[in-house]
Amino acid sequence: MKVDLFDFHLPEELIAQTPLEQRDASRLMVLNKETGSVKHHMFHDLLDYVQEGDCLVLNDTRVLPARLFGTKEDTGANIEVLLLKQTQGDTWETLVKPAKRVKEGTVISFGDGRLTAVCKETSDQGGRLLEFNYEGIFYEVLEQLGEMPLPPYIKERLDDQERYQTVFAREQGSAAAPTAGLHFTEEMLEQLKEKGVHIAFLTLHVGLGTFRPVSVDDLEEHDMHSEFYQVSEGTAALLNSVREKGGRIISVGTTSTRTLETIATEHNGKFVASSGWTNIFIFPGYEFKAIDGMITNFHLPKSTLIMLVSALAGRENVISAYEQAVAEKYRFFSFGDAMLIL
């Protein structure tokens, strides 16, 4: 299957640069995955589409303020560091800019020396293995010195860092937000519970690979990035119970979808408590084993995310819906509007 099949024209002005003042004030496109029909609503109208006994599955990962700005100790040259993955102890895989200034043994200082890092290893495309030194608790130091690593298509500065976190974010470790969850408020979650809708949580730490374009022409040749996930016994038991009682499992975001499908694939359609790394690549032709519907944002042309959505709702249905979204001036990407697929 060719990547170009998932291309569409997106005017740059439709890429949302800032979040709306009210989280649930975004628009909601409802796409029927069987017929391809589309309806236009506001996000709060989601309450009209979920039923008692259904279950929404949310990703409770919390985004690290993983972008650090420091200087080389020997020359004072400015260095930008993006944390990608903790390997062991205080050693992290990172991306640095400008990479040519950071070689093995280079020492970088942040916050007037409150945090320092030594380069232990170099790799291609700006990759560096850094070992950090500090006093106290690393994540507390990071909260004080770091900034949110907003996606490359967002050019505006984010005034309130919490607007790139979901209201239910609690498990530290993500390089990007699970953006479908950004629309929910505490009040809306309570209203869903009052209606008899179950709310389940899992964790998948989003990697920057989620923004990486597909660089091959044929999907079968794409090498999907790996991300860490964790599902508790309570969540697994709830999902199995919902399934047995005939309720629908509706994943919130592609991250929740990939986690649930990974587990269901490995356990013959059942949900079990587990953790590990997933590099599952879902595109048309995939048979879903875990979910009945999905809430998601509007994604980049030719991205693995629009391919996943197309696997659930059909490529022609999705491309047609996206063309309608462009015509109706929906807001796209992380701070944009939402789509409900049922």
Side-chain angles (χ1 to χ4, degrees), residues 12-23:
E12 192 171 342
E13 63 267 21
L14 296 185
I15 300 175
Q17 293 296 315
T18 54
L20 296 175
E21 191 171 333
Q22 294 263 129
R23 287 180 182 265

Side-chain angles (χ1 to χ4, degrees), residues 69-79 107-111:
F69 296 92
T71 56
K72 283 181 66 175
E73 280 203 341
D74 55 351
T75 67
N78 292 327
I79 304 292
V107 178
I108 308 168
S109 176
F110 310 91

Side-chain angles (χ1 to χ4, degrees), residues 56-215:
L56 293 182
V57 186
L58 306 169
N59 183 1
D60 64 5
T61 187
R62 184 169 179 82
V63 186
L64 292 172
R67 180 166 276 125
L68 291 161
F69 296 92
T71 56
K72 283 181 66 175
E73 280 203 341
D74 55 351
T75 67
N78 292 327
I79 304 292
E80 179 181 339
V81 174
L82 184 63
L83 304 180
L84 296 182
K85 185 168 72 175
Q86 189 173 16
T87 56
Q88 58 179 9
D90 292 313
T91 303
W92 286 72
E93 291 180 10
T94 71
L95 288 176
V96 303
K97 291 194 302 187
K100 62 184 179 182
R101 290 181 176 170
V102 180
K103 300 177 173 58
E104 282 190 33
T106 296
V107 178
I108 308 168
S109 176
F110 310 91
D112 296 324
R114 292 184 56 206
L115 179 69
T116 60
V118 180
C119 179
K120 294 294 187 180
E121 192 177 304
T122 66
S123 58
D124 295 338
Q125 297 180 320
R128 297 292 185 270
L129 197 64
L130 299 184
E131 183 179 11
F132 288 91
N133 296 285
Y134 53 91
E135 288 188 6
I137 299 171
F138 180 73
Y139 288 123
E140 290 182 359
V141 176
L142 195 60
E143 287 284 349
Q144 294 165 357
L145 299 181
E147 291 187 5
M148 282 297 168
L150 294 178
Y153 46 74
I154 293 179
K155 313 299 183 187
E156 297 283 331
R157 188 181 181 86
L158 183 61
D159 293 330
D160 180 4
Q161 301 283 301
E162 282 299 306
R163 286 310 309 272
Y164 194 57
Q165 304 278 17
T166 63
V167 297
F168 44 82
R170 54 176 180 256
E171 298 294 335
Q172 292 270 22
S174 208
T179 55
L182 294 177
H183 305 282
F184 288 88
T185 62
E186 295 281 8
E187 293 78 12
M188 191 171 177
L189 290 172
E190 284 304 315
Q191 290 171 336
L192 286 161
K193 291 176 187 175
E194 288 169 7
K195 187 170 181 175
V197 176
H198 301 286
I199 305 294
F201 294 98
L202 53 75
T203 303
L204 181 135
H205 293 318
V206 189
L208 284 183
T210 194
F211 302 122
R212 206 164 283 147
V214 178
S215 57

